[in-house]
């Protein structure tokens, strides 16, 4: 295959691309391991590829590379005196020592220096392979595929983010494949491909790749349909740890909330099962201090009143009607016991002391280690009267300000716009409850997205809530609940952040008895707001979760209230509409009249681009469908400006053939032109086509390209085309 | 157009002695101009001899006729050396093959040995006797006839020898009107031998040279090759057309274009001559033959399917 040469500049390009692809292998190495001086490796790869490109003979190349490796090793590991004879001696010694380690199989004793040296040699070999792939095999599919697999594995199982690396590799790899393909073909057929036609062949590829890359960057990416398999693989492999080690990501219940944000990793390992009649939110604790990055809770005095002992009376006890019962079977030990709202009493078969903190509601055992156990709670699901809730007013909160200080405090650096938004949302709501509701409902109708991954982590100077409310609008329960708490507080309503588990998945056991399975995926957070005269009441701002079930309306009131609600709403709407109208008028006054005609909804770019797209598509389809009407005329007009001669005539005649084919006079593959011409003439009743065909055949088959009456032929041709266009 | 006039004169002259058969005479002349030979496969008495005779007479060529019989020996065809006691040496007496236009009647009645002697002469334009090679006179044109091979007592020509004929033609019976005309003419008609030549042999040789100069564009060449390849790839065909067949077809097309007063070959020429030039070079699969396929069908199929080149090769 050597007889077909590759243009040297093309080779330079190919090698450069291959260099960048190799670099993609080294980048994760730098990020994931404690390898420093990565630039030395880049340099080495570059050097090796350059030598390959320049065809540096081995007797020059190998010593230079060896010297490069030696010096690099000394520079990295012997820092100070890396150019001295001493260093060389040490290096030699190290190599000797390590060889003996290898012989004796003491793999762990091999020094870092030697390992690095081996890594260099690996890269060296890789460069040889690349040279082989490019110049001899003329296909880098293997290398390309391995790179993609490597990056996806690294991206999936480590913290390395390869989303752009994948894009780069795809572009480089496809480009390399595409550029090499014509070379491979020309090698196979042993024909030299001139560089100009090579460029012609590959230009569309480059264009297409650029287009695809731009589209790939710009278009929104849909959430993966399949859940992230990694937690499953990890748990299957026995690696399923609690997962608070990995900086900013969450799995299941995590007592540490000082730094919120980052993905909420899927983990469907079972935490507990609960036998209970109705859906219950499983509360574990509340936190009160917002730090603009997360939540902390100052330690608290224990409330002696709710201290007690697990009664060992489980089973057989009679249930007093307002009370309900929940039997919880723990599968994964938790430091705090989850319990439903309205908790009254805890029972278990074994007697333990339990303590409940008053403020946070934490239910813990007087036992140091977390337990997996079975226990029974009895609770009275709280009911709230809507009437009473409507009567709550802000004034009565004022008197509690000092008492509730803990639940009203906000970090000083909280951006003003959070407060402004909260004020705006709650301005028209008369009662405390309605204010809270207004905030609770805000998220569902304002373009927020529930997502467990791709959730931002606030930077140093950013606020977690502010970032979510105004920038990302994308997150999971922590984002929604924290935001609501902060907004409630900023309008003066005491609020706290609640952690626990969502109700779980309803199942039935063999006896058709209802129970709920709660997994780590159900770890949840929500909001409790203080209603004056009523107490703490849960709210659920997270979209996709349908509310804390124990919010009940007294039915009589509810009906009235619905009407009332509507009445309240209507004026609101009117007001809004008026405001919008006024705003629009104000805008119109400033804009030129042309823009005023365009309705408001048309101004959004999406609509405009969709309309333009549809119009273009329609015009395209329409002109394609009617092409036999307009195309011939266009062709005729265009050909008038061309010089007369065989070339022009041949093009014209070929266009005529296409035109006749379009209007339905098809020519079978095996029919000769003269027979076809006769057919056409028979249909039309003259001999224009035959005359034209005779002239064309003379030129085509007779190689006589001159001395024809081109002017007359052109006229005949024009007539024929126009007449058949109809 | 001088050449055209000469050719038209020949054809007109033939028509004066034979009624109708314009197509066959044109094709025969085509083969003559292309330097090929013709195999006429037909029943006796349809005017083969008359046509060849008048063709020979029109060009002033020497006409010979060999009637093949089972006991005919090669020397009866080629000639024989006889000892001349006066000059004390062997003297060569040329056989009937030494002539310009030969009618080899019922070629499949003779033994393969004698057939081979004729066919060698046809291919090489020379014969070898007693170690001496004798160049045959130019032009040299053989028109062989054979009875349809299912008749008994025949030696069918092997495939390799069939390949040496440029065309295989079928004369066919004359139409009713033509036949009446034949009868009418027989009363007063001069014989074919008495037809005066309209051109000289040198003119004919010149025309032969001209025919080789007729332009065959590369598109047409590839069309010919495509057709030949199509016969080889055709599912019902056991043996397709040889390259000699493609070459013969091209030469025939050149001659035919010349007859039609063109100096270039068109695909129409190819399509017109293809059945005559290819039909005797193809063997069908026995199965295909049983299931009703015929060589004619195959060739019609080939012509219909092979794409006629209608674009310039340099145009994309």
């Amino acid at each position: 295959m050597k007889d077909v040469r590759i243009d040297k500049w093309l080779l330079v390009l190919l090698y450069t691309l291959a260099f960048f692809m190799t670099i993609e292998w080294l980048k994760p190495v730098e990020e994931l391991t404690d390898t420093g001086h990565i630039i030395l490796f880049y340099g080495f790869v570059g050097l090796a590829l350059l030598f390959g490109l320049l065809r540096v003979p081995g007797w020059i190349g190998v010593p230079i590379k060896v010297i490069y490796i030696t010096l690099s090793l000394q520079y990295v590991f012997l820092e100070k005196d890396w150019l001295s004879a001493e260093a060389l001696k040490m290096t030699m010694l190290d190599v000797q020592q390590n060889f003996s380690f290898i012989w004796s199989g003491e793999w762990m004793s091999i020094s870092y220096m030697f390992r690095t040296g081996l890594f260099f040699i690996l890269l060296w070999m890789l460069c040889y392979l690349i040279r082989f792939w490019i110049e001899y095999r003329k296909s880098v599919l293997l290398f390309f595929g391995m790179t993609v697999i490597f990056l996806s594995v690294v991206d999936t199982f480590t913290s390395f983010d390869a989303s752009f690396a994948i894009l780069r590799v795809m572009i480089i790899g496809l480009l390399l494949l595409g550029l090499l393909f014509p070379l491979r073909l020309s090698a196979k057929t042993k024909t030299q491909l001139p560089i100009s036609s090579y460029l012609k062949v590959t230009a569309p590829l480059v264009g297409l790749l650029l287009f695809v890359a731009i589209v790939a960057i710009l278009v929104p990416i849909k959430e993966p349909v399949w859940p992230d398999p990694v937690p499953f693989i990890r748990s299957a492999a026995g690696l399923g740890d609690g997962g608070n080690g990995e900086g900013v990501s969450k799995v299941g219940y995590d007592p540490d909330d000082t730094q919120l944000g980052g993905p909420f990793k899927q983990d469907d390992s079972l935490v507990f099962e609960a036998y209970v009649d109705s859906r219950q939110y499983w509360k574990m604790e509340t936190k009160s201090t917002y730090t603009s990055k997360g939540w902390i809770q100052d330690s608290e005095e224990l409330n002696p009143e709710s201290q007690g002992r697990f009664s060992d009376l489980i089973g057989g006890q009679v249930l007093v009607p307002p009370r309900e019962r929940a039997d919880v079977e723990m599968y994964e030990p938790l430091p705090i016991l989850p319990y439903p709202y309205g908790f009254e009493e805890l029972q278990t078969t074994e007697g333990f002391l339990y303590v409940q903190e008053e403020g946070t509601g934490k239910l813990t055992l007087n036992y140091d280690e977390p337990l997996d156990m079975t226990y029974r709670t009895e609770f009275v699901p709280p009911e709230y009267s809507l009437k009473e809730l409507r009567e709550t007013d802000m004034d009565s909160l004022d008197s509690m300000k000092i008492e509730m200080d803990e639940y009203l405090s906000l970090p000083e650096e909280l951006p003003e716009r959070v407060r402004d938004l909260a004020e705006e949302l709650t301005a028209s709501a008369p009662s405390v409850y309605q204010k809270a509701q207004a905030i609770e409902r805000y998220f569902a109708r304002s373009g927020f997205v529930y997502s467990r991954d791709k959730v931002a982590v606030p930077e140093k100077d950013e606020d977690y809530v502010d970032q979510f409310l105004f920038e990302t609008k994308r997150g999971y329960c922590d984002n929604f609940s924290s935001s609501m708490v902060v907004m409630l507080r900023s309008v003066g309503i005491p609020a706290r952040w609640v952690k626990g588990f969502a109700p779980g998945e309803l199942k039935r056991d063999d006896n058709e008895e209802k129970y709920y399975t709660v997994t780590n995926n159900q770890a949840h957070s929500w909001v409790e707001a203080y209603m004056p005269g009523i107490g703490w009441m849960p709210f659920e701002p997270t979209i996709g979760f349908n509310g804390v079930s124990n919010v009940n309306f007294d039915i009589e009131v509810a009906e009235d209230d619905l009407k009332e609600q509507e009445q309240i709403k209507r004026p609101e709407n009117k007001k809004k509409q008026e405001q919008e109208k006024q705003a629009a008028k104000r805008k119109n006054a400033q804009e030129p009249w042309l823009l005023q005609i365009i309705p408001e909804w048309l101004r959004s770019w999406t609509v405009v681009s969709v309309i333009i797209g549809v119009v273009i598509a329609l015009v395209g389809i329409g002109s394609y469908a009617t092409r036999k009407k307009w195309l011939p005329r266009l062709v005729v007009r265009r050909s008038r400006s061309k010089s007369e001669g065989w070339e022009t005539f041949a093009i014209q005649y070929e266009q005529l053939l296409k035109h006749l084919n379009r209007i339905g006079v098809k020519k079978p593959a095996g029919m000769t032109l003269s027979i076809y011409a006769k057919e056409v003439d028979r249909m039309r009743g003259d001999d224009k086509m035959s005359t034209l065909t005779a002239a064309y055949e003379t030129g085509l088959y007779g190689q006589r390209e001159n001395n024809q009456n081109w002017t007359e032929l052109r006229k005949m041709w024009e007539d024929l085309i126009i007449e058949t266009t109809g | 157009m001088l050449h055209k006039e000469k050719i038209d004169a020949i054809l007109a002259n033939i028509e004066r002695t034979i009624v109708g058969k314009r197509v066959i005479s044109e094709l025969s002349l085509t083969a003559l101009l292309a330097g090929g030979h013709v195999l006429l496969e037909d029943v006796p008495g349809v005017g083969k001899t008359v046509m060849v005779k008048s063709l020979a007479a029109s060009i002033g060529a020497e006409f010979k006729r060999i009637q093949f019989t089972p006991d005919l020996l090669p020397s009866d065809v080629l000639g024989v050396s006889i000892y001349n006691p006066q000059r004390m040496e062997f003297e060569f007496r040329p056989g009937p093959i030494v002539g310009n236009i030969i009618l080899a009647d019922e070629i499949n009645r003779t033994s393969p040995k004698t057939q081979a002697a004729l066919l060698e002469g046809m291919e090489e334009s020379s014969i070898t006797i007693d170690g001496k090679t004798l160049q045959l006179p130019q032009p040299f044109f053989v028109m062989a006839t054979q009875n349809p091979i299912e008749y008994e007592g025949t030696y069918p020509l092997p495939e390799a020898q069939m390949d040496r004929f440029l065309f295989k033609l079928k004369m066919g019976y004359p139409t009713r009107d033509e036949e009446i005309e034949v009868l009418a003419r027989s009363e007063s008609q001069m014989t074919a031998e008495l037809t005066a030549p309209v051109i000289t042999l040198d003119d004919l040789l010149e025309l032969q040279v001209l025919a080789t100069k007729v332009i065959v564009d590369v598109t047409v060449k590839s069309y010919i090759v495509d057709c030949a390849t199509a016969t080889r790839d055709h599912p019902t065909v056991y043996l397709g057309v040889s390259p000699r067949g493609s070459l013969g077809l091209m030469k025939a097309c050149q001659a035919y274009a010349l007859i039609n007063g063109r100096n270039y070959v068109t695909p129409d020429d190819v399509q017109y001559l293809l059945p005559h030039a290819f039909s005797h070079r193809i063997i069908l699969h026995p199965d295909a033959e049983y299931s009703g396929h015929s060589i004619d069908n195959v060739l019609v199929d080939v012509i219909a399917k092979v794409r006629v080149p209608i674009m310039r090769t340099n145009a994309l």
Side-chain angles (χ1 to χ4, degrees):
Chain A
M1 289 214 222
K2 266 196 165 175
D3 44 2
V4 178
R5 304 187 124 250
I6 305 176
D7 183 83
K8 62 173 181 251
W9 291 112
L10 183 61
L11 260 188
V12 171
L13 176 67
L14 292 175
Y15 269 88
T16 317
L17 290 174
F19 172 73
F20 283 114
M21 192 120 115
T22 319
I23 292 301
E24 296 297 339
W25 284 77
L26 292 174
K27 277 181 185 159
V29 170
E30 181 188 19
E31 204 171 309
L32 298 178
T33 66
D34 51 358
T35 313
H37 305 284
I38 199 78
I39 197 81
L40 288 175
F41 294 111
Y42 290 175
F44 183 73
V45 171
L47 185 78
L49 287 177
L50 187 69
F51 279 12
L53 184 61
L54 297 178
R55 305 273 187 282
V56 174
W59 58 271
I60 303 176
V62 173
I64 291 180
K65 283 180 212 166
V66 170
I67 291 169
Y68 183 95
I69 294 175
T70 321
L71 290 183
S72 309
L73 290 180
Q74 290 174 7
Y75 174 71
V76 174
F77 290 97
L78 305 174
E79 291 179 4
K80 268 185 203 161
D81 40 18
W82 61 283
L83 263 181
S84 60
E86 189 71 17
L88 190 65
K89 219 185 259 172
M90 280 176 72
T91 317
M92 299 303 276
L93 200 71
D94 187 75
V95 170
Q96 250 177 17
Q97 231 172 18
N98 281 298
F99 267 118
S100 64
F101 284 145
I102 289 177
W103 289 130
S104 53
E106 296 169 54
W107 306 111
M108 299 317 287
S109 330
I110 293 171
S111 72
Y112 284 119
M113 191 175 187
F114 193 67
R115 288 182 197 190
T116 312
L118 289 180
F119 188 60
F120 268 117
I121 291 170
L122 186 75
L123 288 178
W124 192 344
M125 285 173 170
L126 181 67
C127 290
Y128 267 113
L129 265 179
I130 288 172
R131 193 178 159 191
F132 168 75
W133 279 324
I134 288 182
E135 291 189 30
Y136 297 92
R137 285 282 303 281
K138 296 193 171 62
S139 165
V140 289
L141 191 62
L142 192 65
F143 185 43
F144 178 33
M146 275 167 28
T147 314
V148 170
I149 292 171
F150 169 72
L151 283 178
S152 44
V153 167
V154 163
D155 182 67
T156 313
F157 290 99
T158 71
S159 61
F160 182 73
D161 178 18
S163 34
F164 270 93
I166 284 276
L167 189 66
R168 282 195 301 268
V169 164
M170 283 314 277
I171 291 171
I172 294 173
L174 289 176
L175 201 57
L176 261 178
L177 281 181
L179 291 177
L180 283 170
F181 184 70
L183 297 179
R184 195 158 77 243
L185 274 188
S186 82
K188 223 181 244 171
T189 54
K190 301 212 183 255
T191 42
Q192 185 73 44
L193 191 63
I195 189 76
S196 56
S197 28
Y198 180 81
L199 289 179
K200 236 187 255 171
V201 168
T202 48
L205 169 85
V206 176
L208 195 68
L209 267 180
L210 276 180
F211 175 71
V212 168
I214 289 168
V215 168
I217 295 170
L218 290 187
V219 292
I221 298 159
K222 205 168 181 294
E223 289 298 315
V225 178
W226 285 1
D228 188 357
V230 175
F232 173 75
I233 296 172
R234 286 178 79 96
S235 65
L239 294 168
D241 53 347
N244 53 358
E246 272 179 16
V248 276
S249 68
K250 276 192 83 167
V251 183
Y253 171 78
D254 179 358
D256 177 24
D257 299 301
T258 50
Q259 176 71 65
L260 293 178
F264 183 94
K265 294 205 170 163
Q266 299 276 351
D267 178 5
D268 53 1
S269 52
L270 188 61
V271 183
F272 62 86
E273 284 176 358
Y275 283 81
V276 63
D277 283 340
S278 53
R279 289 172 77 246
Q280 295 298 331
Y281 267 58
W282 301 95
K283 181 176 169 179
M284 288 169 74
E285 60 177 325
T286 62
K287 294 200 174 181
S288 57
T289 310
Y290 177 66
T291 62
S292 86
K293 296 283 180 284
W295 293 91
I296 50 174
Q297 177 64 42
D298 305 325
S299 61
E300 232 183 294
E301 295 284 311
L302 296 180
N303 178 12
E305 273 173 39
S306 29
Q307 215 164 356
R309 171 180 283 274
F310 284 131
S311 49
D312 46 2
L313 290 170
I314 200 160
Q317 210 188 28
V318 182
L319 197 67
V320 188
R323 280 199 175 190
E324 285 185 26
R325 194 177 265 174
D327 289 341
V328 177
E329 199 173 332
M330 304 274 281
Y331 285 90
E332 195 177 290
L334 289 171
I336 308 167
L337 299 181
Y339 58 89
Y341 272 86
F343 168 78
E344 299 257 320
E345 196 185 346
L346 192 70
Q347 302 165 355
T348 180
T349 45
E350 287 159 83
F352 286 109
L353 275 175
Y354 70 91
V355 185
Q356 188 177 28
E357 289 177 13
E358 191 187 25
T360 64
K362 253 189 201 177
L363 196 61
T364 47
L365 300 177
N366 60 342
Y367 192 78
D368 286 344
E369 281 169 45
L371 280 179
D372 45 344
M373 56 189 285
T374 307
Y375 60 89
R376 166 175 289 179
T377 58
E378 287 192 0
F379 60 98
V380 181
E383 279 190 5
Y384 303 91
S385 146
L386 190 60
K387 212 169 203 173
E388 278 175 43
L389 286 170
R390 284 284 167 79
E391 279 158 10
T392 52
D393 62 338
M394 296 299 289
D395 297 337
S396 50
L397 280 175
D398 287 344
S399 56
M400 308 175 77
K401 257 192 177 161
I402 300 161
E403 217 178 305
M404 283 290 171
D405 183 48
E406 189 188 346
Y407 302 114
L408 285 168
S409 67
L410 285 170
E412 278 172 26
E413 62 272 20
L414 184 76
E416 202 53 41
R417 55 179 176 175
V418 177
R419 206 158 279 150
D420 292 346
L421 176 67
E423 296 281 0
E424 193 189 317
L425 291 176
T426 55
S428 56
S431 64
V432 177
Y433 173 67
Q434 278 158 316
K435 280 180 196 292
Q437 231 177 4
I439 295 175
E440 185 187 30
R441 288 173 184 170
Y442 166 68
F443 299 97
R445 54 180 172 83
S446 307
F448 285 83
V449 176
Y450 182 85
S451 167
R452 289 185 162 215
D453 48 356
K454 302 210 173 67
V455 175
V457 181
E459 299 288 322
K460 257 183 195 164
D461 54 345
E462 277 176 317
D463 184 273
Y464 177 65
V465 165
D466 177 69
Q467 186 192 36
F468 171 68
L469 282 176
F470 297 102
E471 265 142 50
T472 61
K473 290 198 168 194
R474 177 189 186 88
Y476 47 89
C477 51
D478 288 354
N479 298 80
F480 291 95
S481 52
S482 302
S483 302
M484 182 169 171
V485 173
V486 170
M487 282 202 281
L488 283 173
R489 287 184 182 183
S490 61
V491 292
I493 302 171
R496 60 191 185 188
W497 191 61
V498 195
K499 289 184 65 187
F501 285 89
E505 203 179 327
L506 177 62
K507 289 190 174 158
R508 281 178 194 278
D509 68 3
D510 301 337
N511 304 329
E512 284 299 300
E513 213 174 318
K514 273 183 175 178
Y515 73 100
Y516 291 84
T517 56
V518 180
T519 66
N520 268 328
N521 281 339
Q522 262 95 39
H524 194 40
S525 61
W526 59 96
V527 178
E528 279 179 8
Y530 189 78
M531 299 291 127
I534 294 168
W536 292 101
M537 181 181 173
F539 285 89
E540 175 59 279
T542 309
I543 53 179
F545 285 78
N546 36 353
V548 180
S549 62
N550 49 13
V551 178
N552 289 326
F553 297 85
D554 28 5
I555 298 162
E556 276 176 277
V557 188
E559 267 177 47
D560 295 345
D561 274 322
L562 277 177
K563 280 177 201 161
E564 221 173 282
Q565 233 171 330
E566 271 173 35
Q567 278 170 351
I568 296 168
K569 257 187 195 168
R570 257 180 230 144
E572 257 179 56
N573 285 352
K574 269 183 195 165
K575 251 187 217 168
K576 242 185 200 170
Q577 281 172 356
E578 264 169 41
Q579 277 175 355
E580 274 170 16
K581 268 184 199 163
Q582 278 174 351
K585 268 183 198 165
R586 252 178 279 136
K587 261 188 199 168
N588 290 351
Q590 293 157 2
E591 281 165 353
W593 65 271
L594 196 68
L595 276 176
Q596 289 178 23
I597 305 170
I598 307 170
E600 192 80 28
W601 59 272
L602 244 178
R603 296 191 190 181
S604 82
W605 278 112
T606 333
V607 175
V608 168
S609 45
V610 164
I611 287 176
I612 290 175
V614 168
V615 166
I616 289 176
L618 283 180
V619 168
I621 294 169
S623 48
Y624 184 76
T626 58
R627 69 196 188 285
K628 51 185 162 195
K629 296 270 179 216
W630 58 265
L631 193 64
R633 288 174 209 282
L634 185 74
V635 163
V636 166
R637 196 160 306 149
R638 242 193 1 209
S639 80
R640 278 191 188 137
S641 58
K642 283 185 184 154
S643 63
E644 288 181 344
W646 159 249
E647 278 297 319
T648 316
F649 176 70
I651 293 168
Q652 287 172 342
Y653 186 82
E654 281 157 13
Q655 278 166 342
L656 176 64
L657 284 181
K658 280 182 198 155
H659 167 66
L660 289 173
N661 191 44
R662 269 198 296 271
I663 62 169
V665 192
K666 307 244 186 251
K667 185 183 91 61
M671 189 186 263
T672 61
L673 285 176
S674 54
I675 297 173
Y676 179 64
K678 274 180 200 143
E679 190 90 343
V680 172
D681 285 341
R682 193 180 51 76
M683 284 162 63
R684 289 176 30 79
D686 59 10
D687 62 349
K688 282 185 182 131
M689 188 64 189
S690 290
T691 317
L692 288 171
T693 306
Y696 180 69
E697 282 192 324
T698 314
L700 174 65
Y701 304 126
Q703 299 167 355
R704 261 188 315 185
E705 300 171 358
N706 293 317
N707 60 44
Q708 303 234 26
N709 191 348
W710 299 123
T711 321
E712 200 171 304
L713 287 172
R714 168 177 291 184
K715 202 179 164 306
M716 208 179 275
W717 173 78
E718 279 184 15
D719 289 350
L720 192 55
I721 281 208
I722 299 298
E723 281 165 25
T724 49
T725 302
Chain B
M1 186 107 174
L2 201 55
H3 317 302
K4 175 74 175 148
E5 279 166 17
K6 284 177 190 164
I7 290 162
D8 286 345
I10 299 169
L11 290 172
N13 210 25
I14 296 172
E15 280 208 320
R16 272 171 39 208
T17 50
I18 187 161
V19 183
K21 305 292 176 222
R22 166 88 187 190
V23 173
I24 295 293
S25 17
E26 208 174 66
L27 287 171
S28 306
L29 187 60
T30 304
L32 174 62
L33 290 180
H37 310 283
V38 173
L39 179 66
L40 270 175
E41 191 179 82
D42 225 326
V43 287
V46 287
K48 293 174 293 210
T49 318
V50 179
M51 198 207 72
V52 183
K53 269 187 185 167
S54 59
L55 176 62
S58 304
I59 61 171
E62 195 183 345
F63 173 74
K64 295 272 179 68
R65 178 196 165 122
I66 311 166
Q67 176 65 48
F68 283 87
T69 54
D71 57 352
L72 199 75
L73 294 174
S75 57
D76 296 332
V77 174
L78 302 175
V80 67
S81 291
I82 295 169
Y83 186 69
N84 187 336
Q86 282 174 346
R87 297 170 60 185
M88 311 268 285
E89 60 179 18
F90 282 93
E91 210 171 66
F92 178 66
R93 294 280 177 82
I97 196 172
V98 184
N100 290 122
I101 293 188
I102 319 289
L103 178 66
D105 231 352
E106 294 190 283
I107 191 173
N108 59 339
R109 282 216 173 275
T110 193
S111 63
K113 192 163 67 172
T114 315
Q115 285 174 355
L118 175 75
L119 292 163
E120 190 212 337
M122 281 165 53
E123 185 65 17
E124 312 291 334
S125 292
S126 63
I127 51 173
T128 308
I129 299 156
D130 296 344
K132 274 182 281 183
T133 302
L134 181 72
Q135 207 65 37
L136 292 172
Q138 286 298 326
F140 179 66
F141 175 67
V142 174
M143 183 168 271
T145 69
Q146 74 173 11
N147 288 329
I149 47 173
E150 48 270 32
Y151 289 1
E152 274 193 28
T154 58
Y155 301 90
L157 286 177
E159 206 46 46
Q161 299 192 339
M162 292 284 268
D163 207 20
R164 283 162 211 259
F165 289 98
L166 182 61
F167 290 154
K168 187 174 94 169
L169 304 177
K170 279 201 171 101
M171 201 118 179
Y173 291 107
T175 61
R176 187 167 179 278
D177 289 346
E178 284 172 351
E179 201 162 342
I180 293 170
E181 172 75 16
V182 169
L183 300 184
R185 274 195 200 180
S186 67
E187 296 171 330
S188 60
Q189 193 63 38
M190 57 178 145
T191 53
E193 288 89 342
L194 294 178
T195 313
V198 287
I199 61 165
T200 62
L201 272 184
D202 289 339
D203 285 338
L204 187 78
L205 288 173
E206 195 194 336
L207 284 176
Q208 279 187 336
V209 173
L210 269 177
T212 60
K213 292 194 174 145
V214 168
I215 295 167
V216 186
D217 190 64
V218 66
T219 54
V220 180
K221 279 183 188 135
S222 62
Y223 179 55
I224 292 174
V225 172
D226 288 345
C227 289
T229 316
T231 65
R232 293 168 208 160
D233 298 340
H234 201 278
T236 62
V237 170
Y238 172 67
L239 179 73
V241 173
S242 61
R244 188 182 359 221
S246 331
L247 182 64
L249 179 57
M250 189 187 85
K251 284 185 171 169
C253 288
Q254 286 176 311
Y256 187 72
L258 187 70
I259 290 176
N260 283 292
R262 260 184 284 115
N263 76 333
Y264 57 89
V265 175
T266 67
D268 297 273
D269 301 335
V270 179
Q271 289 195 349
Y272 177 66
L273 295 177
L274 186 133
H276 307 302
F278 280 1
S279 64
H280 57 294
R281 301 178 208 253
I282 290 175
I283 303 178
L284 292 185
H285 277 293
D287 303 354
E289 242 167 330
Y290 289 134
S291 51
H293 289 277
S294 72
I295 290 174
D296 293 342
N297 288 347
V298 169
L299 292 176
V300 167
D301 195 34
V302 164
I303 289 174
K305 279 198 182 141
V306 176
R307 177 173 293 277
V308 176
I310 54 164
M311 298 282 183
R312 294 162 297 155
T313 41
N314 57 350
L316 285 172

